[in-house]
Amino acid sequence: MKQWFKFLGLIPFLIFTTSCQSRSTTAMWENTKTASRYFGRGLKVLGGKGSDSKLIHHPYEFQGPEDLEYVSLYDEEESSEANFHTYPLAKETPGELGSFLPGLEGFYNPEGQEHQIFKRLHFDTNKDKVKGADDYQTIQEIAKYLKKNPNCYLYILGHCDQRGTDVYNMTLGSRRGNTIRNLLIEQGVNLNRLFTVSYGKEKPVNSANNSKAWEENRRVEFKIYKKK
């Protein structure tokens, strides 16, 4: 009987060692590194820090919070690699040492006639697609302005409403900003003049907790800088 219990005790160990042997050392090491990064990330989030999307390796792999209002950022029919256009980042990074451009704080809100061109663009819940003809018209007007003013540089700021996790909204805000950047590039604007940043849900224009406020907060805004 004692021998039988000893044998039963060895079963979990045998299963563990067998499964480990079936995987390469490289794969196990990569999983270990990934786990450690997520563990460190989790501790930062608990402390209110690190609410960016650097740990997300691909947007189509990202899942939203478990809430009926939210689903994966992309439905299956939208998740094709071909449906997501990517363009290189600008050669300059505003504010970095050696850059001729100031950081974001050196860009300003469009005023006067420029304010009428660089209008806010709004999005549906959990979406990063441009909503309709009026928004496409705004994008065309922005593209025309930028092509007529080659000394003007643009920051595109992605925002979300207050629902969902910090990381989820940072990712969604980033996708909203990049959607507009992509469309401007396709309109002929030099990609080296376009920059994006995501604020997620950090900067609502309406702090109320209702559908009207959420609609106002799901947006892209613009800041410009003119090189002299």
Side-chain angles (χ1 to χ4, degrees):
M1 184 65 70
K2 289 182 179 180
Q3 292 179 344
W4 174 248
F5 279 115
K6 287 181 179 179
F7 176 73
L8 289 177
L10 286 173
I11 291 177
F13 175 76
L14 291 172
I15 293 174
F16 175 78
T17 54
T18 302
S19 63
C20 287
Q21 290 173 355
S22 65
R23 304 171 64 184
S24 70
T25 302
T26 301
M28 291 179 65
W29 173 235
E30 289 301 320
N31 287 343
T32 301
K33 290 194 292 184
T34 299
S36 66
R37 288 198 298 268
Y38 273 92
F39 180 73
R41 168 74 180 179
L43 292 178
K44 289 182 180 179
V45 171
L46 287 174
K49 301 178 180 179
S51 55
D52 56 41
S53 58
K54 292 181 180 178
L55 290 176
I56 296 173
H57 300 290
H58 197 289
Y60 308 120
E61 298 172 352
F62 190 88
Q63 298 294 317
E66 295 181 0
D67 185 320
L68 293 178
E69 292 290 339
Y70 288 84
V71 294
S72 170
L73 285 183
Y74 279 83
D75 297 325
E76 289 184 5
E77 64 270 18
E78 294 180 305
S79 64
S80 169
E81 190 85 23
N83 291 332
F84 182 68
H85 302 287
T86 58
Y87 292 97
L89 296 176
K91 294 179 181 179
E92 291 283 337
T93 301
E96 280 198 354
L97 185 64
S99 173
F100 63 84
L101 294 170
L104 180 56
E105 67 282 356
F107 285 64
Y108 62 89
N109 295 322
E111 298 177 350
Q113 183 180 0
E114 292 171 343
H115 179 71
Q116 299 303 315
I117 296 172
F118 293 90
K119 299 175 183 177
R120 285 177 180 168
L121 301 173
H122 291 87
F123 298 82
D124 290 330
T125 299
N126 193 45
K127 300 296 182 182
D128 63 10
K129 304 300 181 185
V130 175
K131 293 176 67 171
D134 289 344
D135 285 353
Y136 279 110
Q137 181 64 37
T138 295
I139 292 169
Q140 289 179 343
E141 292 301 320
I142 292 173
K144 287 180 183 178
Y145 179 90
L146 292 173
K147 287 188 287 186
K148 288 181 180 180
N149 296 272
N151 65 326
C152 185
Y153 294 79
L154 182 67
Y155 247 116
I156 305 164
L157 317 177
H159 298 268
C160 302
D161 65 40
Q162 299 93 310
R163 299 168 295 170
T165 66
D166 289 347
V167 177
Y168 179 82
N169 282 303
M170 277 293 188
T171 304
L172 184 55
S174 177
R175 293 195 66 85
R176 285 171 176 166
N178 279 301
T179 292
I180 305 306
R181 182 177 187 263
N182 290 350
L183 290 172
L184 289 172
I185 292 171
E186 290 168 2
Q187 289 287 318
V189 179
N190 188 327
L191 62 84
N192 290 308
R193 297 164 57 199
L194 303 172
F195 313 95
T196 63
V197 65
S198 175
Y199 285 112
K201 61 180 183 179
E202 293 179 2
K203 295 191 175 185
V205 292
N206 188 335
S207 58
N209 192 28
N210 56 51
S211 58
K212 181 178 182 298
W214 298 335
E215 183 177 0
E216 292 178 22
N217 293 332
R218 297 190 300 267
R219 70 199 191 279
V220 153
E221 296 179 328
F222 303 97
K223 287 183 179 289
I224 61 176
Y225 171 77
K226 291 184 177 179
K227 182 183 176 185
K228 296 180 181 180

